[in-house]
Amino acid sequence: TFMEVHVVEHGEPVTSIVLNAQGDKLATYGLQTTKLWAIPSGGILYSVSSNVEARAITLSFTNNDTRILAGFDDRAVRFFDVGQTENQWRYVHPTLFKEPLAAEAAANSPTCVAFSRDGSYAGVAYRGFPLSIWSLETGVCINRCNRAQGTNFFADQYTAGWYVTWRFVWNPVTDHVIGFYADGFVFKWHPLTGEHQEAQAHANNVTASSDGKLFLSSTSTGIVKVWGFTDFSVIYQLSSDDLLIGLAFSPDCLRLYDLRCGMVNSVNAWEPNSLLRFSDTDEPVSDLASETAISMSVGQASEARLEQFEAISALAACPNGKCVGVGTDDGSVQLRSANGSDTVEVGKFNNFMEVNHLAWSQSSQRMVAADLSGDIMLSHIEIIDYGHLNETTKITSLKSPKLDLDDQVIHEILFSPDSSLLLIVASQSGHIWSLKDTSLRASETFADGKLRKWVSHPTHAELLLGIGSADVRVFGWQDLLDCRKPISYLHIHSVPHDKVLNSNFNGNVEMATKRLKSTNILAPGPTSEKVRAIVTQDHKYVLVRLSSNDSFTGFGRFFILPMSELEPIRTGVNQTDTFLIRSATIPDHVRSRVRIALAILPGDRFVFLDWDLWVNSYTMVGHAHQSASGGISSKPPKHHGNEGDESIQRHFFIPDDWAMGGSLDLCCMTADGTLIYPRDDKLSMIKANLNIPAFRRGSSTLCAGRNSCHDSNKK
């Protein structure tokens, strides 16, 4: 599913990493420390000081994962044993990689170091010296890769009986070395038997499968080749125009992965039918396979071409729900029709950088876009017929704000309700731009502005709300000044709803804190949490979701804030104090299922994507309502059935292969319940009757629900 498992923060530059065969341990070598991590929890199992005089080129687990070997750029092999008392790296053998004096100048810093499967041998390649294989036990060089006579290479380049090897790996089954020469040939060579075979193919990276039957080669121009090891022939080729910097096989050898650098850095998974056909041969690979085995035939090599496109990097649905604004990786801003038939170019940023922010005015006639460099594009849009955008759309460019952000990054842009003002929130500042007189109206320093979600006050058009992870600040649209002191809401951790919400906490925060100390209800929340806010369509409440950067382990916290408490001035309250309001939260059995919060539709129906990529709805009526004392109360729903989630309705699901890259973070839902989902350079618009559940827990009946899907392609 490509779901993020954990983010490991080493805390310094890392020169090499390795994952063990079971996938439950990760070693990272930093400039100052080397750390061993438990996966997927991310806990540190062991830490040792790094060798400050040299950098690790490669790491390898050995001795049942109790020892870590490392090849260094000072031509040395060192190790440390997990749990050792000496907190340092030690030499495996003092003579390893030490050449005779006559060869010392040529055997400079290694370009590649790799260890055999059992840690008995180490190979080392140089820019000016042949690939050499050494015994880790004796510290003796056992062989050098001298290219066989009669192979296809230019004679004037073959003067010393060897050729430069840029990179190589070990076959984990046969102990062959697989690599590529600098003159455009891929080879396999056995250090003990001397067997050597090569084929003409340019490469800059190579890796072998765990069963020894296959290996991959890639070029910097984006070509990946899958080779059969025994007959040394290509069985599959994938072509693209992206720079490839990493390759790997899946443990079952039926899938391959690549890491690409292009307009967007991406990890891609491929399942060619050729790998499946090859695995069906069930022919074992042994140490003598390449000399004695019959060539495995899987038919003619197949080839695939990876089509190039500019992926969607930002989107915003038009408030009237009739079209969608789209930004792409190359700086293009477009309009796309709801039925997927038309695409209109709004404009393009001159620096071709990724569009990362889009916003509409409430009138659906103005749109603003911003790219990674901080450039802003303002447009006035007139559409006569939304069904025929190409023929009936008139786009007028407006004067764009010119701000001196001092290398700050734009985090959010927002129109005022009357479309006359534009809020631009940067890393450390906020700015109000007037569209009427095309001038900067106000600027303020915001230390935490990037950590807040900014929305217009739904009932006071002159006000602006900055919703943070601990409080809400109220500002004026005209001057960006505080209209009152911060309004704090409770952070509730494992406390019954009625214990918190039936108490009278409205008033001075200091008094409320004293009252709550004995019950441990108040607990500070993380200040760096990601904030997402959705205003209900009746403008009575705002649903706030706080989630950490670790989307796998953190399910997020929810708070339902009453808009009536977010007024500019409250009479009878000392304005020098922070004011504390009560907030409700959704039940835990709902909260734990929410992956992406989408919308709140009429009837207080909270719509979200769950962790199985199903679109769900949960009706908050009866669970978040106005209490008799004027605050919000929340009561857990009555549980029916074994799982206790009858209050949740499932409607339809998103295919697993859609959940790639940043698609989940960009998807959104319109006011009529249409799900807009980006896929590469396309948009899928799914219209469904959310009044009809497609699936109910405890029932085996699936309901169609009159769903329809339109694809909008890039023209």
Side-chain angles (χ1 to χ4, degrees):
T1 63
F2 269 51
M3 186 168 63
E4 184 179 284
V5 174
H6 197 85
V7 176
V8 174
E9 297 284 352
H10 189 101
E12 60 179 328
V14 172
T15 65
S16 186
I17 65 173
V18 66
L19 191 68
N20 69 342
Q22 290 72 34
D24 58 1
K25 293 179 182 177
L26 174 71
T28 58
Y29 187 94
L31 298 181
Q32 299 295 327
T33 58
T34 304
K35 297 179 181 180
L36 182 64
W37 310 81
I39 302 298
S41 67
I44 298 180
L45 300 176
Y46 192 74
S47 179
V48 62
S49 298
S50 295
N51 188 302
V52 297
E53 298 178 354
R55 297 185 180 184
I57 298 175
T58 186
L59 299 175
S60 179
F61 283 95
T62 187
N63 290 8
N64 294 323
D65 298 340
T66 62
R67 172 172 291 186
I68 295 180
L69 293 171
F72 287 80
D73 60 3
D74 63 347
R75 288 194 298 134
V77 177
R78 299 177 177 89
F79 76 95
F80 79 83
D81 292 324
V82 178
Q84 66 183 8
T85 55
E86 301 89 351
N87 188 31
Q88 62 182 0
W89 288 86
R90 293 179 289 174
Y91 285 101
V92 172
H93 201 286
T95 64
L96 268 174
F97 298 171
K98 305 306 179 188
E99 300 291 350
L101 290 177
E104 279 293 312
N108 43 26
S109 180
T111 59
C112 182
V113 177
F115 300 100
S116 62
R117 55 179 172 173
D118 58 359
S120 299
Y121 303 104
V124 57
Y126 306 93
R127 292 178 178 85
F129 203 72
L131 167 63
S132 305
I133 305 299
W134 294 72
S135 169
L136 295 184
E137 181 179 359
T138 63
V140 174
C141 179
I142 64 172
N143 206 349
R144 303 192 195 278
C145 184
N146 295 318
R147 227 170 153 177
Q149 297 292 336
T151 52
N152 297 321
F153 51 84
F154 296 105
D156 60 347
Q157 296 178 340
Y158 185 76
T159 57
W162 61 273
Y163 208 86
V164 175
T165 301
W166 284 117
R167 184 173 175 82
F168 67 93
V169 294
W170 291 82
N171 185 308
V173 176
T174 68
D175 278 343
H176 282 76
V177 172
I178 306 169
F180 54 88
Y181 296 119
D183 63 342
F185 282 84
V186 176
F187 71 90
K188 65 177 178 180
W189 168 61
H190 201 291
L192 300 182
T193 67
E195 176 207 352
H196 183 280
Q197 186 177 356
E198 64 182 57
Q200 188 169 12
H202 288 278
N204 68 350
N205 203 354
V206 64
T207 190
S209 62
S210 59
D211 60 6
K213 295 181 179 181
L214 302 166
F215 70 93
L216 299 172
S217 70
S218 68
T219 68
S220 59
T221 57
I223 297 176
V224 178
K225 293 182 178 180
V226 182
W227 299 73
F229 173 77
T230 301
D231 58 4
F232 215 64
S233 63
V234 177
I235 65 171
Y236 180 77
Q237 178 172 311
L238 175 66
S239 301
S240 72
D241 296 327
D242 294 325
L243 173 64
L244 286 167
I245 59 174
L247 290 172
F249 277 103
S250 62
D252 60 6
C253 306
L254 297 179
R255 177 184 291 185
L256 60 95
Y257 302 89
D258 64 52
L259 177 61
R260 298 173 182 268
C261 287
M263 295 298 294
V264 176
N265 298 335
S266 63
V267 177
N268 306 280
W270 309 96
E271 291 182 340
N273 291 332
S274 300
L275 297 188
L276 181 60
R277 293 197 302 268
F278 200 92
S279 67
D280 289 341
T281 60
D282 291 330
E283 184 172 342
V285 177
S286 65
D287 291 344
L288 302 177
S290 59
E291 295 182 353
T292 62
I294 299 175
S295 176
M296 292 178 282
S297 176
V298 292
Q300 186 177 2
S302 58
E303 183 173 358
R305 173 73 186 177
L306 181 61
E307 296 298 329
Q308 298 300 304
F309 56 84
E310 302 302 337
I312 294 173
S313 57
L315 70 83
C318 183
N320 61 23
K322 297 180 180 180
C323 65
V324 181
V326 168
T328 64
D329 288 336
D330 65 344
S332 177
V333 181
Q334 306 167 356
L335 284 180
R336 301 200 187 177
S337 59
N339 59 13
S341 61
D342 290 345
T343 297
V344 175
E345 189 86 6
V346 176
K348 193 165 188 176
F349 288 98
N350 294 329
N351 52 23
F352 298 98
M353 296 191 72
E354 174 185 312
V355 179
N356 60 346
H357 293 290
L358 278 177
W360 285 90
S361 64
Q362 291 186 12
S363 64
S364 301
Q365 292 184 330
R366 288 178 176 176
M367 186 169 67
V368 60
D371 69 359
L372 285 175
S373 69
D375 286 349
I376 298 173
M377 180 190 301
L378 267 171
S379 304
H380 181 81
I381 300 173
E382 295 181 18
I383 302 175
I384 298 175
D385 185 354
Y386 285 90
H388 300 85
L389 291 183
N390 292 335
E391 298 85 7
T392 66
T393 301
K394 180 182 178 181
I395 298 173
T396 304
S397 296
L398 304 178
K399 183 178 179 180
S400 298
K402 300 298 182 183
L403 306 176
D404 185 10
L405 297 179
D406 294 329
D407 297 326
Q408 297 182 65
V409 178
I410 293 178
H411 287 272
E412 193 162 356
I413 46 181
L414 178 70
F415 281 102
S416 64
D418 62 359
S419 308
S420 65
L421 301 172
L422 183 69
L423 169 70
I424 302 123
V425 179
S427 303
Q428 301 291 329
S429 60
H431 310 271
I432 297 293
W433 176 264
S434 173
L435 278 72
K436 288 184 178 180
D437 51 20
T438 62
S439 63
L440 187 63
R441 178 68 61 86
S443 292
E444 292 291 335
T445 299
F446 290 147
D448 61 348
K450 65 180 180 180
L451 302 177
R452 296 180 179 273
K453 176 63 179 177
W454 297 84
V455 298
S456 291
H457 198 296
T459 58
H460 292 270
E462 74 280 5
L463 298 182
L464 177 67
L465 302 178
I467 302 173
S469 61
D471 59 33
V472 181
R473 297 181 66 182
V474 184
F475 298 89
W477 262 110
Q478 296 293 328
D479 51 16
L480 207 55
L481 296 179
D482 282 293
C483 294
R484 58 177 296 177
K485 294 298 180 180
I487 305 169
S488 293
Y489 55 90
L490 295 181
H491 290 273
I492 305 167
H493 297 278
S494 303
V495 178
H497 298 83
D498 53 355
K499 185 175 183 180
V500 176
L501 298 169
N502 289 338
S503 302
N504 183 17
F505 297 150
N506 286 3
N508 186 283
V509 67
E510 182 178 357
M511 295 174 58
T513 304
K514 291 179 179 178
R515 194 179 307 163
L516 294 171
K517 277 185 177 179
S518 60
T519 58
N520 294 319
I521 291 176
L522 283 178
T527 59
S528 61
E529 286 179 301
K530 183 177 180 180
V531 181
R532 185 164 185 169
I534 305 175
V535 179
T536 58
Q537 292 196 2
D538 60 7
H539 297 165
K540 290 183 177 180
Y541 305 105
V542 57
L543 175 67
V544 179
R545 187 191 186 190
L546 310 179
S547 57
S548 65
N549 292 328
D550 190 341
S551 59
F552 181 79
T553 58
F555 291 116
R557 297 179 294 150
F558 288 86
F559 298 93
I560 305 172
L561 309 181
M563 296 305 303
S564 59
E565 299 287 350
L566 306 179
E567 301 295 331
I569 298 176
R570 285 181 56 87
T571 58
V573 176
N574 187 347
Q575 293 298 303
T576 62
D577 296 324
T578 300
F579 193 80
L580 180 66
I581 64 171
R582 289 179 288 176
S583 60
T585 185
I586 63 176
D588 288 343
H589 79 284
V590 180
R591 176 187 62 84
S592 62
R593 294 171 63 105
V594 179
R595 184 171 182 178
I596 300 292
L598 293 173
I600 299 179
L601 300 182
D604 291 333
R605 286 182 300 160
F606 173 40
V607 184
F608 61 90
L609 269 174
D610 65 18
W611 293 90
D612 296 324
L613 299 181
W614 275 81
V615 173
N616 298 256
S617 65
Y618 164 73
T619 302
M620 296 188 296
V621 174
H623 311 303
H625 59 274
Q626 199 77 9
S627 67
S629 60
I632 299 179
S633 65
S634 178
K635 299 178 181 179
K638 295 181 179 179
H639 290 178
H640 301 284
N642 296 328
E643 297 187 49
D645 55 2
E646 283 292 322
S647 59
I648 300 175
Q649 292 184 350
R650 276 184 157 183
H651 301 281
F652 58 90
F653 65 89
I654 302 299
D656 287 342
D657 60 350
W658 286 22
M660 299 292 182
S663 295
L664 282 174
D665 291 330
L666 292 177
C667 70
C668 62
M669 180 167 283
T670 62
D672 64 355
T674 299
L675 177 65
I676 302 175
Y677 199 97
R679 295 180 295 146
D680 299 331
D681 61 337
K682 306 176 181 64
L683 283 180
S684 291
M685 303 183 191
I686 306 173
K687 297 182 179 181
N689 185 352
L690 297 185
N691 293 316
I692 304 176
F695 177 76
R696 283 186 182 273
R697 294 284 181 174
S699 171
S700 60
T701 302
L702 291 177
C703 304
R706 293 184 181 178
N707 298 343
S708 63
C709 177
H710 296 287
D711 274 349
S712 176
N713 301 329
K714 179 180 177 181
K715 303 297 183 185

